[in-house]
Amino acid sequence: MTSTKGPLWRHVRDSLSDDIRKGRILPGELLQTEKELSDRFEVHRHTIRRALQELRELGLIRTEQGRGSVVLEQPFEYKMGRRTRFSENMSLNSLKARSHFLYGDVISASEVVAKHLQIPVRSKVNYIEMYGEAEGKRVFVASQYVPYPDMEDLIRVFRETGSMTQSYARYGIHDYFRKDSRITTRMSNAEETAHLKLRQKQPLLVVEYVNVDRRGRPIEFGITRFCGDRLEIVVPGNQGI
Amino acid sequence: MTSTKGPLWRHVRDSLSDDIRKGRILPGELLQTEKELSDRFEVHRHTIRRALQELRELGLIRTEQGRGSVVLEQPFEYKMGRRTRFSENMSLNSLKARSHFLYGDVISASEVVAKHLQIPVRSKVNYIEMYGEAEGKRVFVASQYVPYPDMEDLIRVFRETGSMTQSYARYGIHDYFRKDSRITTRMSNAEETAHLKLRQKQPLLVVEYVNVDRRGRPIEFGITRFCGDRLEIVVPGNQGI
DNA sequence: TACCATTTGTCCGTATGTATT
DNA sequence: AAATACATACGGACAAATGGT
């Protein structure tokens, strides 16, 4: 016995939560069965169940009948507001974050893209695909559409800087704001599963948004697909109560 | 031939989009294969693909390699802001919406619930489960925790009124506000799949939130699971630019 | 695990009509 | 009128993903 006081289930809970937090059991892996745990800790299965109940409430595991208890990924927080920026956002969690270039081209705007950017259908736009990493884990893939005449060579500049914020600065846009964001969810397709280095298809948080400059002119239409179990979106309750 | 002028692909697009909008092909169902369509319309497969491309851009279908093109649900908009209310929200879409009671009990607060409601662990809370309907379609299931001493009999009152907003009014809370919302996604479990009348497990939008009264005191902690393909969450870009 | 049929994705072509310069 | 670019339409081959066995 390591702990001497307090209820037994608390000892079990703390021991297991330690195993998880110290990485001895990895996210996605199954905990030992309740039977095995009750043997290991030399307590009744009910005591184990009490401890597992606590771990569920702490969001550390999810239990599936007939299968076992899976250790959950601890998601990053992604704050969504008027000035949403990926890397700033992640550094709030004191995490190292980067965007990585995947693909870029100049294409002609479809109806949907044109509507969001308030430009004529079929006018040229920069199209950039990228993925985002935080603490070595891939957390999103994004597609962005940026009007072309305003920003020639954007693709090259983004490949150099690795940041949209910095790229925009080169074109004299030193600040920009998030207009409406629309959030849905769907399963990842094959490409997304690969880019995010997922073992299998998983639900994604899909965020569609438009960024505008100081004058309110659309400068970017984007579709970001977040890996659902690696990240949660936080929508702050607006300012003062 | 029905149409006499314009490119062939436009005729195909309009014909298929009509099939979808008139309900001849239901959401979730597969379109005919490209081969079948090219036989039916007596055009080359490439022409069919041009038409499907348009339908994708219109958000009417989603295409999966090796499988086919699925007709999408046209999701309701759910505006999330400081004063988020389900039924008001839905009437903005001129939709008929209701909440329905599923289960209610007085339970003792777990750590997580206690933390959100800023009450002691194990103090009594009302626990209510419900589902929400819009236009006859079930769009969410929700679990809500409300401090007990403040609102005895809340469960009975909710069963009578069918509305949390109205129930709160009985206890003198005539207005309340949304604090932070946290959004994640995961697959529905068996219970949720049944409550939402889904054919199979599907990704859900999971929103955790706290509502507070005028003084900023937490009055409700809730976890709402929205059916991902029947609803999209809209986060308004904060006020003036 | 491996294999298979089905279906979509991508690429190589060809030809024709229309609008622009 | 000629040259050019572009959208449309068709032909065919193979790669890649899915769902089932």
Side-chain angles (χ1 to χ4, degrees):
Chain A
M1 279 298 190
T2 21
S3 89
T4 53
K5 59 172 81 172
L8 290 178
W9 61 260
R10 190 177 296 166
H11 167 63
V12 176
R13 177 195 68 183
D14 295 343
S15 173
L16 289 176
S17 110
D18 230 50
D19 286 344
I20 293 171
R21 290 189 212 276
K22 298 267 171 68
R24 285 190 288 271
I25 316 173
L26 295 175
E29 289 182 354
L30 286 171
L31 240 54
Q32 291 173 286
T33 65
E34 294 179 357
K35 174 76 176 63
E36 285 168 340
L37 288 171
S38 91
D39 290 346
R40 166 177 158 197
F41 288 101
E42 296 177 329
V43 296
H44 197 271
R45 175 161 167 257
H46 289 157
T47 313
I48 297 295
R49 289 184 58 77
R50 179 69 171 86
L52 294 182
Q53 173 62 30
E54 297 270 325
L55 294 178
R56 270 191 292 277
E57 286 176 3
L58 290 170
L60 289 175
I61 62 169
R62 183 185 65 240
T63 304
E64 293 168 32
Q65 197 177 118
R67 181 150 177 265
S69 293
V70 203
V71 176
L72 297 177
E73 298 247 8
Q74 287 311 298
F76 305 121
E77 282 188 8
Y78 188 83
K79 285 211 177 60
M80 202 154 74
R82 211 160 87 93
R83 291 186 77 263
T84 303
R85 311 275 190 278
F86 174 64
S87 31
E88 286 182 26
N89 218 313
M90 290 291 106
S91 21
L92 293 179
N93 292 320
S94 59
L95 298 174
K96 281 164 206 151
R98 273 206 60 185
S99 294
H100 297 264
F101 177 83
L102 278 175
Y103 172 80
D105 201 358
V106 175
I107 62 173
S108 81
S110 70
E111 282 191 41
V112 176
V113 171
K115 196 187 70 188
H116 282 107
L117 291 176
Q118 295 172 29
I119 56 176
V121 178
R122 285 177 213 301
S123 47
K124 289 198 184 306
V125 291
N126 291 293
Y127 173 70
I128 298 181
E129 273 182 30
M130 65 183 80
Y131 67 87
E133 247 178 6
E135 293 289 290
K137 284 182 186 173
R138 304 203 173 175
V139 289
F140 72 76
V141 281
S143 306
Q144 306 189 334
Y145 301 83
V146 184
Y148 182 71
D150 297 350
M151 297 188 216
E152 216 164 320
D153 264 345
L154 174 71
I155 295 169
R156 191 179 49 73
V157 174
F158 175 75
R159 296 187 73 160
E160 283 171 23
T161 61
S163 152
M164 289 306 274
T165 309
Q166 284 182 47
S167 304
Y168 290 146
R170 294 252 191 120
Y171 295 100
I173 296 173
H174 297 282
D175 207 358
Y176 58 94
F177 305 96
R178 176 69 56 108
K179 255 181 69 181
D180 295 352
S181 306
R182 314 179 84 82
I183 307 174
T184 53
T185 180
R186 61 170 171 76
M187 299 304 282
S188 58
N189 62 30
E191 203 183 354
E192 290 158 346
T193 307
H195 284 322
L196 292 170
K197 292 195 171 167
L198 302 172
R199 294 203 196 101
Q200 57 200 9
K201 299 198 167 194
Q202 280 190 13
L204 303 177
L205 281 173
V206 182
V207 182
E208 285 191 33
Y209 64 89
V210 175
N211 278 333
V212 297
D213 66 13
R214 284 206 189 87
R215 297 202 187 103
R217 287 179 310 195
I219 58 164
E220 174 187 314
F221 167 58
I223 303 172
T224 307
R225 287 88 82 197
F226 291 103
C227 179
D229 60 359
R230 295 182 184 168
L231 190 135
E232 67 185 357
I233 295 177
V234 179
V235 182
N238 301 7
Q239 50 283 11
I241 298 293
Chain B
M1 279 297 189
T2 20
S3 89
T4 54
K5 58 173 80 175
L8 292 178
W9 61 260
R10 190 176 298 164
H11 167 63
V12 175
R13 178 196 68 184
D14 295 341
S15 174
L16 289 176
S17 109
D18 231 51
D19 286 344
I20 294 170
R21 290 190 212 277
K22 299 266 172 65
R24 285 189 289 269
I25 317 172
L26 295 175
E29 290 182 351
L30 288 172
L31 239 55
Q32 291 174 285
T33 66
E34 296 178 355
K35 175 77 176 63
E36 286 170 336
L37 289 171
S38 91
D39 288 346
R40 167 177 158 198
F41 288 101
E42 298 179 322
V43 295
H44 196 268
R45 179 168 160 242
H46 288 158
T47 310
I48 297 294
R49 288 181 62 76
R50 179 69 169 85
L52 294 181
Q53 173 61 30
E54 297 270 324
L55 294 179
R56 272 190 291 275
E57 286 177 3
L58 289 170
L60 290 176
I61 63 170
R62 183 183 66 241
T63 304
E64 292 168 36
Q65 191 176 143
R67 187 149 174 261
S69 292
V70 203
V71 176
L72 297 176
E73 297 250 8
Q74 288 312 298
F76 304 122
E77 284 188 7
Y78 188 82
K79 286 213 176 58
M80 202 154 73
R82 212 160 85 93
R83 292 186 78 262
T84 304
R85 310 276 190 278
F86 174 64
S87 31
E88 288 183 25
N89 218 315
M90 290 290 106
S91 17
L92 292 179
N93 293 319
S94 58
L95 298 173
K96 281 163 207 152
R98 275 207 59 185
S99 294
H100 298 264
F101 178 84
L102 279 173
Y103 173 79
D105 201 358
V106 175
I107 62 173
S108 80
S110 68
E111 283 191 41
V112 176
V113 171
K115 196 187 70 187
H116 281 108
L117 291 176
Q118 295 172 29
I119 57 175
V121 178
R122 284 179 216 300
S123 46
K124 289 201 184 307
V125 291
N126 292 293
Y127 173 70
I128 297 181
E129 274 182 32
M130 64 184 80
Y131 67 87
E133 247 177 7
E135 293 289 289
K137 286 184 183 173
R138 304 204 173 175
V139 290
F140 72 76
V141 282
S143 305
Q144 306 189 336
Y145 302 84
V146 183
Y148 181 72
D150 297 353
M151 297 188 216
E152 217 163 319
D153 264 346
L154 175 70
I155 294 168
R156 191 180 48 75
V157 174
F158 174 75
R159 294 187 73 160
E160 284 171 23
T161 61
S163 152
M164 290 305 276
T165 309
Q166 283 183 47
S167 303
Y168 291 147
R170 294 255 190 117
Y171 295 99
I173 298 172
H174 297 283
D175 208 358
Y176 58 95
F177 305 96
R178 176 68 59 107
K179 254 181 70 182
D180 295 351
S181 307
R182 314 178 82 82
I183 307 173
T184 53
T185 180
R186 60 170 173 76
M187 297 304 284
S188 58
N189 61 30
E191 202 183 353
E192 290 158 346
T193 307
H195 283 323
L196 291 170
K197 293 198 170 165
L198 301 173
R199 294 201 196 104
Q200 57 201 8
K201 298 195 172 193
Q202 281 189 13
L204 303 177
L205 280 173
V206 182
V207 182
E208 286 189 35
Y209 65 89
V210 175
N211 279 333
V212 298
D213 66 12
R214 284 208 188 85
R215 298 201 186 103
R217 287 179 313 197
I219 57 166
E220 173 187 315
F221 167 58
I223 303 171
T224 307
R225 287 89 81 196
F226 290 103
C227 178
D229 60 359
R230 293 181 186 169
L231 188 136
E232 67 184 357
I233 295 177
V234 179
V235 182
N238 302 8
Q239 51 283 15
I241 298 293

